[in-house]
Amino acid sequence: MTWRRAASTVAVLVLAVAAAGGWRWWRQHPPYGPEALHLRSSLEFVTHDEAQVALGSAYQAPVTYDGDQLVLGRVSWQEPPAPLDGGYFALFLVDKRTDLKPSVFAVAAPQESVGMGSAGVENRIPDRYPWLRGAGDIRVGENEWLSAGSRLSIIDTLASPLTFVVLFPHLERHERAHPIATAPVTLPDLLLALVYMGPDGQVYWAQRLQG
């Protein structure tokens, strides 16, 4: 191999590595930061009747029993400068004392705009943002995870302003079949955060809203 051919081969390899690195950077780089949304939020305790009024007649507030608590949340944002394009916003409400999420949400928004549940790719969130440990599933073994509790997934940015009610049930120890956030809680115990997840499971950013 002549020195010219060797130099050409090295140059091609350098370009290939640079291109791969640039592609990875582009895929991980968020289209915009949380400051572009001008986020506003609030949390407050409410009665069942107050929760029903806040949600409106088209939606049903969670049923409560003695010792249960309801938290009314509101989050609003300005229309982002770019579409979600397969990504979504994940809204987490976590009891910071236990890093557990609640399991019951009532949301004043169309089902095609907002969903409830969890996703395995969200286990990447605590790796990047340790303060949001409760966003992921619960590790129960070397390669085993338990999905417990829920968050809201927002796939349509027109869902703002978003109103939701969360149930914190009062459960006796023997009734706690699954590790979820339960009553009694206080507002300082709660962490509300919005995470922007990319279309391929990228964790673009996480923004603390309350707590």
Side-chain angles (χ1 to χ4, degrees), residues 35-115:
E35 67 280 354
L37 299 178
H38 299 281
L39 291 156
R40 294 176 178 270
S41 64
S42 65
L43 293 173
E44 61 179 307
F45 288 113
V46 291
T47 65
H48 180 272
D49 289 344
E50 291 170 335
Q52 190 60 67
V53 170
L55 292 171
S57 59
Y59 305 95
Q60 182 64 48
V63 176
T64 56
Y65 299 94
D66 290 344
D68 294 349
Q69 293 174 287
L70 293 178
V71 172
L72 170 65
R74 291 187 172 92
V75 178
S76 64
W77 56 87
Q78 291 186 5
E79 184 66 14
L84 291 174
D85 281 341
Y88 63 96
F89 294 148
L91 185 66
F92 293 92
L93 185 64
V94 177
D95 185 341
K96 294 183 293 186
R97 300 169 301 172
T98 59
D99 290 326
L100 293 177
K101 301 184 291 287
S103 63
V104 177
F105 282 81
V107 189
Q111 289 186 348
E112 60 269 21
S113 300
V114 179

Side-chain angles (χ1 to χ4, degrees), residues 127-140:
D127 292 337
R128 184 170 175 185
Y129 298 98
W131 56 268
L132 195 46
R133 291 183 298 273
D137 294 333
I138 299 171
R139 186 187 290 274
V140 294

Side-chain angles (χ1 to χ4, degrees), residues 110-161:
Q111 289 186 348
E112 60 269 21
S113 300
V114 179
M116 184 178 70
S118 62
V121 294
E122 292 162 6
N123 288 327
R124 302 173 183 174
I125 296 172
D127 292 337
R128 184 170 175 185
Y129 298 98
W131 56 268
L132 195 46
R133 291 183 298 273
D137 294 333
I138 299 171
R139 186 187 290 274
V140 294
E142 183 64 26
N143 295 302
E144 296 181 82
W145 298 82
L146 174 64
S147 178
S150 298
R151 53 84 181 110
L152 297 180
S153 60
I154 302 159
I155 60 175
D156 186 346
T157 57
L158 296 178
S160 176

